[in-house]
Amino acid sequence: MLRIMSVLKVFGVLVIVPVSLSFYLPVSNINATFYAHTLLELHRQVCPVLEYRNLVVLWLSHDIVVDAVLPHIISEITYTKTISIAVRENITDKDLFYSCNLLFMDSLNDFEIVNSLQESVKAIHFYPKRIHELVKASANETLLQLVRFGYQVVYDHSNTIAIYRRNKYSNQTTTIDPNKIAVPDETRDMYGYNLTMYNYEPISTVMTFDAYFLELVCSKRNATAIHITNFSHPWDIYTSFGLNYMDQKWIIPAFGTTFTAINVPRAKPKPIVSVLIDPFDKYVWITYLMLVLAMAVTISQFGEILGRCRFVEIVLELIMTCLAGPSRTYGGTFENRLLTMFCLMGIVLISSYQSLIISFMSIVRYGSEINTLEEIREQCVFEDYDESRSFGFKTYPNGTYLGYGLGCSFEISRASEPLTIMITANLITVRQGYGKEDYIRYRIEKYRFANVRFFEYPMCFVVLPRIRELFLFYTQAVFESGIYEYYYKNKSTPAWLYKRNKFANEVVKVKDLMLLWYAYMCGILLSIVSLVLEKMVHKEFKG
């Protein structure tokens, strides 16, 4: 027993002493410049400074090489640095998702510590050769996955470096020459890798460009496009609809916009009496009325024949003169000249009015649409929710029904009004079982989007970090080429046009002239009252 222990002790000394002595090698034997230059060049190619301004250094090793190299890394001025001795210490989410991570490690346990960095954008592992040998001999699949995640920079104390990279798509490990570092683009050929996009079916059936875009990317990079409708399955990319994902760390700009629109009732047709007034604006009518009143006052004071009539009779005679010519005898030099000029003006005025009214009766005459924020505040009524109260809009109690085409509402929209209507029709069909065509017809006839929009943002893709740069490249290409606009402009869509009826195509009904009937009845009642009063006064004076 003692003999065995002695042998183990001897072998223990033989093994431990060389390793221990390596930590006390003179620093002059370590070419720190070579190590630092290799790491910085690899980092520069993996993380271009224009895209990744910060370098996160996790200092988990105190090997003599690391102690010699770290000052050179810190003194490099191209990138900002975040130095930490623990994963979460002084490291923010921005450091994890928008910067490179340089990991100095000297034990297998360090790989477990950096497990939380597996969704980081970029990672470079710097560890000694003895750790590399232990990793190669390990059967721990989790450990192998952690090591393969980043770029593996393996060093020894004889100033040699080996750089390894496991290609996720080809499942092959490649070696990068440390003297001529050239980092390949692994996504150039993805070897049939499945790029999975989550599509919410009621939206994806309308916004088909998202699926087309994924197919386009896959065709260029030898990948396979997979579309899923179950969000619980693993995915690589999906479109964020609405504003709920604007604070996500994985978003990139996508195509089109999302905004909050205001559904407002369509303008109602003008009554026929209103159409009869429309040929002239209010200033013309006011000027004409003032002219009639001024002439009536003048004639009542200086007229020889019409001056004997009552003031109201003179006003009615002037209006009648303008419409159909004089109905009473008039005379005197002043009165003749004044009424002659008024008749000439009436000819011009009535001729203009008749030509305009014929044109106005043959086109659509509707009230003004609600478009601006001021018009929404004045004319719209919303349900009593937080959104409407926050804007200071008029509200009505919840549970109250205003009737079809009366109230206003908020609607989260995408791209344009027609596409939003189609999406909403799909959602309502799924949730409430209404007919899609019925909803679309009702929506087109009763409501429209006001011109004012709230919270308008570009659409975004939520993309996993490992393929972020790939989709950034192709989204930028789509923006510059205009494919998105061309795609929907040349895509056949239903011709949903709100047709307004013309007066020339309709029969004028009694209710259309209701205002004139009211005026006629009021005139009759006033005449009867005047007749009764006149007889009563005449009888009293006679008695």
Side-chain angles (χ1 to χ4, degrees):
M1 186 68 174
L2 292 174
R3 185 177 300 174
I4 296 174
M5 290 293 293
S6 301
V7 172
L8 291 176
K9 186 174 182 180
V10 170
F11 278 97
V13 172
L14 290 175
V15 174
I16 293 173
V17 169
V19 175
S20 300
L21 290 177
S22 66
F23 288 93
Y24 297 97
L25 290 175
V27 178
S28 59
N29 293 338
I30 303 298
N31 189 351
T33 303
F34 168 70
Y35 289 114
H37 174 75
T38 303
L39 282 175
L40 291 174
E41 178 61 22
L42 177 63
H43 172 253
R44 184 188 65 81
Q45 294 192 29
V46 173
C47 303
V49 66
L50 294 178
E51 300 178 17
Y52 304 92
R53 296 290 303 173
N54 191 48
L55 171 61
V56 178
V57 179
L58 285 177
W59 187 11
L60 307 177
S61 171
H62 292 285
D63 187 84
I64 188 173
V65 175
V66 174
D67 293 340
V69 170
L70 189 57
H72 293 268
I73 300 294
I74 296 175
S75 61
E76 200 275 334
I77 62 174
T78 305
Y79 297 82
T80 59
K81 314 292 190 308
T82 301
I83 312 296
S84 178
I85 60 174
V87 175
R88 287 293 179 179
E89 183 178 341
N90 300 324
I91 296 181
T92 64
D93 287 341
K94 184 177 180 181
D95 295 326
L96 291 175
F97 294 105
Y98 293 97
S99 63
C100 271
N101 296 273
L102 179 56
L103 315 174
F104 292 115
M105 299 175 290
D106 60 3
S107 71
L108 295 180
N109 292 333
D110 292 339
F111 287 103
E112 296 295 334
I113 294 175
V114 300
N115 188 28
S116 60
L117 295 179
Q118 59 182 320
E119 285 298 340
S120 178
V121 178
K122 303 290 183 181
I124 300 174
H125 301 157
F126 188 73
Y127 52 85
K129 186 176 181 180
R130 59 184 177 83
I131 300 298
H132 182 65
E133 297 298 332
L134 293 176
V135 170
K136 289 173 60 177
S138 175
N140 188 338
E141 187 63 29
T142 302
L143 176 62
L144 294 176
Q145 291 294 333
L146 292 175
V147 174
R148 294 169 180 173
F149 174 74
Y151 288 82
Q152 308 163 46
V153 181
V154 180
Y155 69 91
D156 58 18
H157 296 88
S158 59
N159 297 324
T160 58
I161 288 181
I163 304 175
Y164 304 101
R165 171 63 174 172
R166 180 75 173 185
N167 191 323
K168 176 181 177 64
Y169 309 111
S170 65
N171 291 323
Q172 296 177 352
T173 301
T174 58
T175 302
I176 300 175
D177 186 357
N179 298 312
K180 296 180 180 180
I181 296 177
V183 176
D185 182 4
E186 296 175 352
T187 61
R188 186 171 295 277
D189 186 353
M190 303 183 73
Y191 296 91
Y193 178 80
N194 292 338
L195 284 178
T196 305
M197 173 181 282
Y198 166 72
N199 295 309
Y200 185 44
E201 190 172 358
I203 299 176
S204 61
T205 55
V206 177
M207 308 303 296
T208 55
F209 184 82
D210 297 340
Y212 169 76
F213 173 68
L214 182 65
E215 298 283 350
L216 182 64
V217 173
C218 291
S219 66
K220 298 295 183 180
R221 296 302 176 102
N222 188 23
T224 303
I226 303 296
H227 302 278
I228 61 173
T229 57
N230 189 348
F231 192 73
S232 61
H233 291 172
W235 51 266
D236 297 301
I237 179 175
Y238 71 90
T239 305
S240 63
F241 184 76
L243 309 178
N244 298 329
Y245 302 98
M246 295 308 294
D247 60 345
Q248 285 276 1
K249 304 299 185 298
W250 297 348
I251 62 173
I252 63 173
F255 321 111
T257 58
T258 176
F259 56 92
T260 300
I262 304 295
N263 269 327
V264 296
R266 288 191 178 274
K268 302 297 187 294
K270 287 186 175 182
I272 191 170
V273 175
S274 174
V275 177
L276 295 176
I277 300 174
D278 281 346
F280 297 146
D281 62 9
K282 61 181 179 180
Y283 300 105
V284 175
W285 291 115
I286 292 173
T287 303
Y288 175 74
L289 180 60
M290 292 178 63
L291 175 63
V292 170
L293 293 177
M295 289 186 63
V297 172
T298 303
I299 292 174
S300 65
Q301 296 295 325
F302 306 104
E304 293 186 10
I305 297 178
L306 289 180
R308 303 170 188 172
C309 301
R310 296 184 179 88
F311 180 79
V312 176
E313 293 177 341
I314 297 174
V315 171
L316 293 177
E317 177 61 24
L318 290 174
I319 296 175
M320 187 63 191
T321 300
C322 186
L323 293 176
S327 61
R328 293 173 180 267
T329 303
Y330 59 91
T333 304
F334 176 74
E335 192 173 296
N336 286 337
R337 291 180 179 178
L338 189 64
L339 289 176
T340 300
M341 293 300 298
F342 187 74
C343 288
L344 292 175
M345 186 199 72
I347 294 173
V348 177
L349 189 67
I350 294 302
S351 298
S352 302
Y353 180 83
Q354 288 177 344
S355 60
L356 289 173
I357 198 64
I358 293 173
S359 300
F360 277 33
M361 293 289 283
S362 62
I363 64 175
V364 178
R365 301 298 293 172
Y366 278 71
S368 60
E369 299 283 7
I370 302 174
N371 281 315
T372 65
L373 183 59
E374 291 74 16
E375 292 171 345
I376 293 174
R377 292 184 186 277
E378 294 175 1
Q379 304 179 40
C380 274
V381 182
F382 295 82
E383 288 191 65
D384 191 14
Y385 291 128
D386 293 338
E387 293 86 353
S388 52
R389 288 196 300 268
S390 64
F391 285 102
F393 294 151
K394 299 176 183 177
T395 60
Y396 62 90
N398 294 333
T400 305
Y401 181 67
L402 294 182
Y404 292 111
L406 296 180
C408 300
S409 61
F410 293 92
E411 184 172 359
I412 296 179
S413 309
R414 179 172 178 181
S416 64
E417 184 175 4
L419 294 176
T420 302
I421 292 175
M422 296 173 66
I423 293 173
T424 308
N426 290 340
L427 293 172
I428 288 180
T429 302
V430 171
R431 295 175 183 173
Q432 302 181 13
Y434 294 158
K436 184 187 301 184
E437 292 76 12
D438 295 336
Y439 168 78
I440 292 175
R441 187 183 305 108
Y442 165 77
R443 172 65 174 74
I444 293 296
E445 292 178 356
K446 299 296 183 180
Y447 289 95
R448 54 177 290 275
F449 280 176
N451 290 345
V452 64
R453 295 178 175 183
F454 302 101
F455 309 116
E456 186 168 7
Y457 296 97
M459 289 297 299
C460 294
F461 283 136
V462 180
V463 185
L464 293 185
R466 62 175 176 269
I467 54 174
R468 173 186 173 86
E469 293 182 357
L470 171 66
F471 281 93
L472 273 175
F473 173 80
Y474 280 104
T475 52
Q476 184 63 30
V478 170
F479 286 138
E480 294 178 358
S481 63
I483 296 176
Y484 177 78
E485 292 78 9
Y486 178 83
Y487 179 87
Y488 282 111
K489 286 181 180 178
N490 291 273
K491 184 178 177 62
S492 60
T493 55
W496 294 333
L497 298 176
Y498 176 66
K499 296 181 179 180
R500 292 180 168 181
N501 295 326
K502 300 178 181 179
F503 289 113
N505 299 333
E506 293 186 354
V507 178
V508 178
K509 301 178 182 179
V510 175
K511 66 178 182 179
D512 296 328
L513 300 175
M514 193 60 66
L515 183 60
L516 296 180
W517 286 109
Y518 286 149
Y520 179 71
M521 295 302 297
C522 291
I524 292 177
L525 291 176
L526 183 61
S527 300
I528 294 174
V529 171
S530 300
L531 179 62
V532 172
L533 291 176
E534 184 178 357
K535 287 187 174 294
M536 291 176 61
V537 172
H538 180 71
K539 183 177 180 180
E540 183 177 348
F541 278 103
K542 187 176 180 180

